[in-house]
Amino acid sequence: MSRIATTFERLRAAGRKALVPYITAGDPHPSHTVDYMHALVRGGADVLELGVPFSDPMADGPVIQLACERALRHGTSLRDVLDMVRRFRADDPDTPVVLMGYLNPIERFGASAFAAAAAEAGVDAVLIVDLSVEEAPDLAPVLREHGLDCIFLLAPTSSAARMDAIGALGSGYVYYVSLKGVTGSDRLDPEDVATHVAAIREHVSLPVAVGFGVRDAASAQAVGRNADGVVVGSALVQRIADLEATPDRAGGELETTARALREALDALA
């Protein structure tokens, strides 16, 4: 079993939900990312989503857009992100790491070369925001050949046919985008999420993680009642931005925030 499958199976057996924090690699400087990853794990993260900075992050709101700009200002490349994962793996062989980003950097790298390099670095999965399931049959098998899960997004507007296709081609987990909008929105409706997650489960056997709009312990707990995992991104990235002038403090803040999220989710067990 992959690290992701093992993690979700362990949590399911314990009646717990996965905490999946997201940060942008290289923000506010590449030298801090690995420390922030470890801080999130100390706070209780089960899976880490590491954003690959991109110049046109179309699915992301202003918080993560600015994080990408800060990372790119320091020249953070896809190869740099893989090196960060490699350094993280030197001290943490167990926590799954998902690279979340856009297709262009992978195409420039070369799909096969990227998959090999990502697997060697210790990446567990790839979530490509602008890769539709219709375009994925060429890439997903390449990722699988190297032991990498291919994670897809589902939206409130996703059809049953699309859910079936993603259930057949995806692996690891599916990421349900809880609202029509970009990351960082604050219009989360837990009842609507519950309805859509139930519909997804009719078509997809993978764990369902919910993100977009999860901002704090209360919203994480509300979503976690029905999801297998909860993704928190913009709230953490904003905290990093708030402490840009004192980045060494951000690790402790991330750990504290993750711990509060973890406690809220564990209260559901």
Side-chain angles (χ1 to χ4, degrees):
M1 294 177 67
S2 69
R3 269 187 287 247
I4 291 177
T6 299
T7 296
F8 275 98
E9 184 61 33
R10 171 177 52 81
L11 291 168
R12 185 181 300 110
R16 301 172 70 221
K17 306 304 177 94
L19 173 60
V20 187
Y22 165 98
I23 58 172
T24 303
D27 174 38
H29 189 277
S31 62
H32 296 287
T33 300
V34 175
D35 290 339
Y36 292 171
M37 294 169 73
H38 286 303
L40 289 166
V41 174
R42 289 194 301 270
D46 299 295
V47 179
L48 296 176
E49 285 189 358
L50 189 60
V52 179
F54 185 56
S55 58
D56 186 23
M58 64 186 76
D60 293 300
V63 172
I64 293 178
Q65 288 182 19
L66 290 171
C68 287
E69 291 180 12
R70 290 191 295 271
L72 292 172
R73 196 178 304 140
H74 295 291
T76 307
S77 68
L78 179 52
R79 291 186 186 276
D80 293 327
V81 178
L82 295 180
D83 185 60
M84 293 171 193
V85 177
R86 189 177 295 109
R87 288 186 282 123
F88 172 77
R89 279 281 169 252
D91 296 308
D92 187 329
D94 300 318
T95 305
V97 176
V98 178
L99 294 191
M100 184 172 182
Y102 295 81
L103 187 57
N104 182 269
I106 294 174
E107 288 187 327
R108 292 192 63 182
F109 200 114
S112 183
F114 163 75
E120 184 276 330
V123 173
D124 295 280
V126 180
L127 196 170
I128 304 170
V129 176
D130 53 347
L131 179 70
S132 69
V133 69
E134 292 83 3
E135 298 170 323
D138 291 335
L139 179 58
V142 176
L143 297 175
R144 279 198 299 270
E145 286 175 10
H146 293 276
L148 300 174
D149 287 321
C150 188
I151 297 171
F152 290 96
L153 297 173
L154 281 169
T157 54
S158 295
S159 66
R162 181 172 292 270
M163 293 181 201
D164 287 335
I166 287 174
L169 193 61
S171 58
Y173 57 90
V174 293
Y175 186 136
Y176 174 61
V177 177
S178 64
L179 45 82
K180 301 174 186 176
V182 295
T183 57
S185 300
D186 59 359
R187 295 178 284 107
L188 185 68
D189 182 345
E191 292 185 5
D192 183 69
V193 169
T195 299
H196 281 91
V197 169
I200 291 169
R201 294 195 194 281
E202 295 179 4
H203 299 270
V204 178
S205 61
L206 296 168
V208 181
V210 176
F212 284 46
V214 182
R215 307 176 64 86
D216 52 26
S219 56
Q221 187 178 78
V223 167
R225 294 184 191 280
N226 299 284
D228 299 296
V230 176
V231 184
V232 183
S234 293
L236 298 172
V237 175
Q238 183 60 58
R239 199 71 193 104
I240 292 171
D242 293 341
L243 295 170
E244 183 180 5
T246 55
D248 290 338
R249 290 179 51 201
E253 292 285 336
L254 293 174
E255 181 177 348
T256 298
T257 302
R259 185 167 291 112
L261 294 165
R262 175 76 272 158
E263 291 173 355
L265 292 177
D266 284 348
L268 296 170

